[in-house]
Amino acid sequence: MKTYSACFIMSLFFLTNANAQDIVKLNNYLITKVSINRQTEILSVNEDINNERYTIEATNDLRTKLAANYKFLGFGFGFSPPQSDRKSKFLEAKLNVFLSKWIFGANFSRIKGFYEQNINLENLDRDFPDLKSTSYRFSAGYLLNDRFSYKHLFQLNEWQRESSGSFIPSFTYRYNRISDFIDGDKVVQHNSDFTISPAYYYTWCVDQNWFVTPAISPKFGMRFSKDDTNKETYFTRGFNFRLQFGFTNERVAAGATFTFESNNINYRSTRSTINDRNHAQLYFAYRFNAPKFLQRTVESIEREFRL
């Protein structure tokens, strides 16, 4: 099975390099993007005291994200509208920087309120409305094949019109702070994750406007975890699968994205948590002529740093 998988990936790699590539640059436009999505973050909790394992989730029926991208810069902001009881509160901010083949990202997110899946309404002991997960994430990736457009999928200021793919190895640092109140006392867990991911993306262009892009991302790393009583180091592993399809022309980009993320760690403690995430998104973006003041500002940055 491993041999077949390796042959499949290598065949995609050689096919990628054999294809002629046609990427239209749309750097002079200001891209505005709005998306409506549902994201579920699942925590698998191991309770050694009671010898139990159960799952709780943070979920919203609706989340809204707004983004603006221009040339090598991308900004994003996401939030959850007010909803009924047993719904989580969500806040997110993103910054992306694209420098030649390098891809840098910074992300802040905060989720409050986790609730047990398929809960018996007569027993709400596993509702955690005060449980809060706060994360800071920094990443750096490198595009190996310049015939493949990563910006076509994320920055939306390029338009890929011929099928191609690429390996994009990346390094990620993520600090996650999980806090809750147990019997009136505040309990805090600090996790620092260092992860390497050899991701592979392939964009299949159905025609010049329509495309489908699957991506796989195995992950390997280390976690440094501490709470009020313990300080430990663990190995981590995970797997991401992403599927995006949509429509692009010179002014409009629209489509849908589905993401599944599974993670695992090699330990059990008094209360250990494992994060899994599922994400579904519908997005629409429009490219405007950039205002003069924005052009002057960004061009001065480009000249100063020789970008």
Side-chain angles (χ1 to χ4, degrees):
M1 185 64 183
K2 292 182 179 179
T3 302
Y4 290 131
S5 299
C7 292
F8 173 72
I9 291 175
M10 291 303 296
S11 65
L12 283 178
F13 179 73
F14 288 117
L15 178 63
T16 290
N17 288 309
N19 284 341
Q21 177 61 24
D22 183 7
I23 297 177
V24 178
K25 305 291 185 179
L26 302 169
N27 291 331
N28 292 325
Y29 289 114
L30 171 64
I31 296 94
T32 56
K33 175 183 175 183
V34 59
S35 61
I36 299 174
N37 61 85
R38 177 184 174 89
Q39 179 171 319
T40 301
E41 180 159 341
I42 300 172
L43 296 181
S44 297
V45 182
N46 296 321
E47 293 277 13
D48 272 3
I49 296 177
N50 301 318
N51 194 27
E52 291 182 309
R53 177 172 179 171
Y54 55 92
T55 58
I56 55 177
E57 69 175 20
T59 185
N60 295 89
D61 292 333
L62 187 68
R63 293 184 182 185
T64 302
K65 291 186 179 181
L66 307 174
N69 305 320
Y70 182 64
K71 289 196 173 182
F72 62 91
L73 290 174
F75 300 93
F77 176 75
F79 62 95
S80 56
Q83 300 186 59
S84 60
D85 294 339
R86 302 191 81 246
K87 293 297 181 181
S88 307
K89 296 179 181 179
F90 165 79
L91 182 67
E92 181 182 47
K94 287 185 176 182
L95 169 65
N96 293 319
V97 179
F98 294 79
L99 301 178
S100 185
K101 292 186 177 183
W102 287 97
I103 306 156
F104 299 96
N107 172 276
F108 164 80
S109 66
R110 184 176 64 205
I111 302 173
K112 183 179 180 181
F114 288 76
Y115 304 92
E116 186 180 9
Q117 298 173 313
N118 303 319
I119 191 168
N120 181 350
L121 296 179
E122 296 179 358
N123 182 4
L124 301 180
D125 291 341
R126 292 177 183 168
D127 273 2
F128 300 90
D130 296 318
L131 180 59
K132 184 187 298 184
S133 174
T134 304
S135 296
Y136 299 86
R137 182 178 180 272
F138 304 93
S139 63
Y142 187 78
L143 179 66
L144 291 179
N145 182 14
D146 56 10
R147 294 178 172 183
F148 172 80
S149 176
Y150 189 84
K151 293 181 179 180
H152 171 82
L153 304 175
F154 294 91
Q155 192 79 343
L156 304 179
N157 59 0
E158 289 184 351
W159 176 9
Q160 182 170 331
R161 302 197 298 184
E162 295 289 338
S163 300
S164 186
S166 178
F167 284 101
I168 306 177
S170 65
F171 170 80
T172 301
Y173 168 71
R174 179 174 180 258
Y175 167 73
N176 177 230
R177 181 180 184 271
I178 299 176
S179 62
D180 194 15
F181 290 90
I182 300 177
D183 297 329
D185 296 325
K186 188 173 184 178
V187 178
V188 180
Q189 184 182 78
H190 305 270
N191 298 314
S192 294
D193 294 307
F194 296 85
T195 305
I196 295 175
S197 175
Y200 184 83
Y201 290 75
Y202 188 87
T203 295
W204 176 45
C205 296
V206 181
D207 57 27
Q208 289 191 346
N209 298 103
W210 294 91
F211 70 93
V212 178
T213 303
I216 55 173
S217 306
K219 301 185 297 181
F220 312 92
M222 299 285 292
R223 167 173 289 186
F224 300 90
S225 180
K226 68 176 182 178
D227 53 28
D228 295 336
T229 58
N230 297 309
K231 187 176 182 180
E232 301 289 347
T233 302
Y234 312 102
F235 290 104
T236 64
R237 61 186 183 276
F239 182 83
N240 286 19
F241 174 76
R242 187 178 190 274
L243 180 65
Q244 180 175 347
F245 61 89
F247 171 89
T248 301
N249 63 24
E250 185 176 356
R251 287 287 186 173
V252 172
T257 304
F258 303 92
T259 305
F260 170 77
E261 177 182 349
S262 180
N263 300 282
N264 204 353
I265 49 181
N266 67 332
Y267 79 105
R268 292 174 60 89
S269 63
T270 301
R271 173 172 286 174
S272 61
T273 58
I274 305 170
N275 297 73
D276 292 325
R277 297 180 181 89
N278 299 314
H279 179 259
Q281 172 184 260
L282 297 175
Y283 67 89
F284 176 84
Y286 190 81
R287 302 180 181 98
F288 295 89
N289 293 324
K292 296 297 183 182
F293 78 90
L294 181 60
Q295 293 182 24
R296 291 193 297 267
T297 302
V298 175
E299 287 173 0
S300 66
I301 295 174
E302 291 177 325
R303 289 194 298 270
E304 180 70 22
F305 294 95
R306 299 180 180 179
L307 300 177

